Amino acid sequence: MSAAAIAFLIGVMVVQQLPALPSQAWALALLPALALGFWHPRWLILFSLVAGFAWAIFRADLILQEYLPSEVEGRDVMLEGFVADLPDQTEYGVRFVFDVERATADEVAIAVPSRVRLTAHELQVHAGERWRITTRLRRPHGLQNPGGFDYEAYLFRNRIRATGYVRDESSAQRLGDGGGIYTINRWRERLGERMRAL
């Protein structure tokens, strides 16, 4: 691995150790670092370090821009979208990641995060299916024990900015199947089912 790549990774890691996310204005530091890199190739390491720092800030800021408004918590929200990944069967039902296309509350369009994690007790969902479901959403919350599993960090890494459950499973409507990446996930799920059967 080159020194520039290592410097980029160090820049990313520095952002992850900070107690608060710095401003995107740090990206302006790329310009003098790039100029120095053209002046002398050894300065490209500094450019890579600053680039990693700015990249991590940019990516984190993109994810943080999606949030669940507090007035939506605890209300019935109708979601339309796709089961984004393989559902996870648990003793309490099924958990699945849902890519939201459209959200309404009291028949009025509202803004919610584009990716949420839902739980259903008896609803049978499969990867790649398109659904219209009534849900109750909340902002992500979880325990942060030192050395233990950090649920909020897990959700953040997977760009899941709200969690919730399917409220009225009897009214849920399957609308069809999605294409693209959803097709691949459907194949993955079917392959997994065959392997478990064998």
Side-chain angles (χ1 to χ4, degrees):
M1 186 178 284
S2 71
I6 293 171
F8 185 89
L9 290 174
I10 291 171
V12 170
M13 289 173 52
V14 167
V15 172
Q16 294 177 359
Q17 303 307 313
L18 297 175
L21 190 66
S23 164
Q24 287 197 32
W26 270 93
L28 296 175
L30 286 171
L31 299 175
L34 182 60
L36 286 171
F38 279 121
W39 179 61
H40 198 287
R42 222 177 322 167
W43 287 98
L44 280 176
I45 293 175
L46 173 65
F47 172 74
S48 298
L49 180 74
V50 176
F53 192 81
W55 174 252
I57 293 169
F58 172 72
R59 291 292 298 153
D61 191 56
L62 277 180
I63 297 170
L64 289 173
Q65 284 178 11
E66 285 197 358
Y67 63 92
L68 185 70
S70 57
E71 60 271 10
V72 174
E73 285 188 297
R75 293 177 58 193
D76 283 355
V77 176
M78 179 76 74
L79 298 180
E80 267 184 42
F82 296 92
V83 178
D85 207 345
L86 279 62
D88 183 21
Q89 294 290 339
T90 70
E91 58 185 301
Y92 307 108
V94 63
R95 276 190 305 218
F96 57 98
V97 176
F98 196 73
D99 283 348
V100 178
E101 282 187 318
R102 197 165 71 100
T104 57
D106 301 323
E107 299 183 6
V108 176
I110 59 171
V112 299
S114 61
R115 179 166 274 206
V116 299
R117 186 172 187 172
L118 300 172
T119 302
H121 293 291
E122 297 178 13
L123 192 66
Q124 294 299 313
V125 298
H126 299 282
E129 292 179 338
R130 188 167 185 265
W131 284 85
R132 180 183 298 128
I133 49 181
T134 303
T135 63
R136 285 271 173 101
L137 300 175
R138 67 182 186 142
R139 293 176 181 179
H141 299 290
L143 300 174
Q144 296 178 336
N145 295 324
F149 180 67
D150 188 342
Y151 183 61
E152 285 187 47
Y154 164 79
L155 294 175
F156 185 83
R157 281 192 305 272
N158 290 285
R159 295 178 35 234
I160 299 169
R161 301 297 294 145
T163 60
Y165 61 94
V166 179
R167 174 128 167 83
D168 184 7
E169 296 188 17
S170 61
S171 70
Q173 294 177 284
R174 186 178 179 279
L175 304 175
D177 292 325
I181 187 70
Y182 301 117
T183 303
I184 294 169
N185 287 336
R186 267 200 309 279
W187 292 342
R188 287 177 55 218
E189 184 178 11
R190 289 177 187 152
L191 180 62
E193 288 169 353
R194 288 181 186 155
M195 290 172 69
R196 281 190 294 277
L198 291 172

